[in-house]
Amino acid sequence: MNKTILDLEVKHREELNANYVLLVTTHKSKLPPMLPGQFAQLRVDNEPKVMLRRPISINYVDYDKNEVWFLIQKVGKGTEKLAEVKVGGTINTLFPLGSTFTIPQDTSESLLLVGGGVGVAPLLFLGAVLKKQGFKPAFLLGARTDKDLLQINDFKKFGRVFTTTEDGSEGEKGFVTHHSVFKEETFDKVYTCGPRPMMEAVATLAKEKGFDCEVSLENMMACGIGACLCCVEETTKGNVCTCTEGPVFNTKELLW
Ligand code: FES
């Protein structure tokens, strides 16, 4: 899949809560093909202290409206600056990058998409593509409190949504791996993205239950194109760059 660099224009900006901003972007030319799991490298302008682009998951793509969405978590100067870009402003974007989630052949397969924190971002696009292809995906989304659950109404358009919060303010209290859906249902495949301890717990549970499992790693990235080696992950094939060989891996390939 060819990479491209475009100055994407912010068409809509929405503060989802104190830490997260949704940027809906577009371009006057047709956007390139993108697949769930891929990410973009967004250049941070007007901030001399930030030299490197920031890796941001592709949150959703609407080809009819020629839109690509990014969910920005404000975790430092670079992402704070990106989150400040106003409607009409542009973001220089290198995309699409990285590997993609695997879509099964058989639409009768039962699929669970498990996300936490900003890790829910790529799962919205994945859920949309799965639904369009005839699957009935279910989502399990975890957060600290109800205010930290993101894009719930968007997820509901594509399948059943289960939630957990650590304080019990929404859905079941506790972590995603404690949710009753794991006791009551079986799945052919689980996809997960979020904090590493959460993904490791989901991968362990999936292994115990015999579900296939794909994870999207959020290793630190700088260049995003396999040049700096800061994103290396140990796999069964040796050390690989998460930005080019990942970010999506089947857990059978990882040493977890
Ligand atoms: Fe530079 Fe992966 S981010 S090699």
Side-chain angles (χ1 to χ4, degrees):
M1 201 167 266
N2 288 340
K3 305 181 212 6
T4 185
I5 296 184
L6 292 176
D7 283 321
L8 296 178
E9 181 184 335
V10 176
K11 184 175 172 185
H12 174 75
R13 178 185 179 279
E14 193 176 338
E15 306 223 2
L16 302 183
N17 64 26
N19 299 317
Y20 290 91
V21 169
L22 172 69
L23 297 178
V24 175
T25 70
T26 189
H27 195 264
K28 53 185 181 308
S29 64
K30 194 166 171 272
L31 292 172
M34 290 166 261
L35 289 170
Q38 291 188 299
F39 66 100
Q41 286 279 76
L42 276 54
R43 194 178 73 198
V44 181
D45 292 332
N46 306 317
E47 179 50 79
K49 289 193 184 132
V50 179
M51 307 297 290
L52 299 167
R53 291 172 181 265
R54 291 292 180 266
I56 306 288
S57 291
I58 293 171
N59 176 222
Y60 184 67
V61 180
D62 186 328
Y63 287 108
D64 294 333
K65 295 184 182 165
N66 205 38
E67 291 174 353
V68 53
W69 299 14
F70 299 106
L71 191 56
I72 313 284
Q73 181 186 20
K74 294 187 256 179
V75 286
K77 274 202 169 25
T79 46
E80 276 167 19
K81 207 74 196 171
L82 286 171
E84 280 172 11
V85 180
K86 301 278 181 285
V87 170
T90 57
I91 302 175
N92 186 272
T93 306
L94 168 65
F95 71 120
L97 301 167
S99 63
T100 71
F101 290 112
T102 309
I103 311 278
Q105 297 285 326
D106 181 355
T107 55
S108 69
E109 287 202 12
S110 54
L111 309 173
L112 181 68
L113 284 58
V114 185
V118 77
V120 301
L123 302 183
L124 184 67
F125 185 25
L126 175 62
V129 168
L130 288 170
K131 174 150 193 235
K132 196 165 180 199
Q133 295 195 11
F135 293 90
K136 293 187 177 140
F139 302 93
L140 173 56
L141 308 173
R144 272 176 301 174
T145 73
D146 55 350
K147 292 188 180 50
D148 303 311
L149 286 167
L150 304 168
Q151 300 183 297
I152 295 293
N153 289 332
D154 291 311
F155 280 104
K156 283 182 179 166
K157 292 177 200 155
F158 307 123
R160 293 180 296 152
V161 175
F162 305 100
T163 54
T164 60
T165 48
E166 288 172 33
D167 68 353
S169 51
E170 174 72 39
E172 293 186 16
K173 185 172 181 180
F175 296 120
V176 285
T177 41
H178 301 145
H179 195 279
S180 54
V181 73
F182 282 111
K183 295 189 190 80
E184 290 161 6
E185 299 188 28
T186 59
F187 297 95
D188 294 299
K189 191 172 184 96
V190 174
Y191 302 91
T192 185
C193 185
R196 193 163 179 124
M198 184 207 85
M199 290 195 289
E200 288 181 346
V202 171
T204 302
L205 188 59
K207 194 172 181 183
E208 281 166 19
K209 291 183 171 283
F211 309 154
D212 192 41
C213 184
E214 286 185 11
V215 300
S216 176
L217 299 185
E218 295 188 321
N219 292 16
M220 174 136 63
M221 288 186 197
C223 72
I225 51 169
C228 72
L229 304 183
C230 81
C231 64
V232 162
E233 177 74 23
E234 261 190 298
T235 72
T236 52
K237 294 183 221 149
N239 289 344
V240 302
C241 290
T242 303
C243 65
T244 51
E245 304 301 311
V248 179
F249 293 91
N250 192 293
T251 49
K252 290 186 200 119
E253 300 169 82
L254 298 174
L255 306 185
W256 286 17

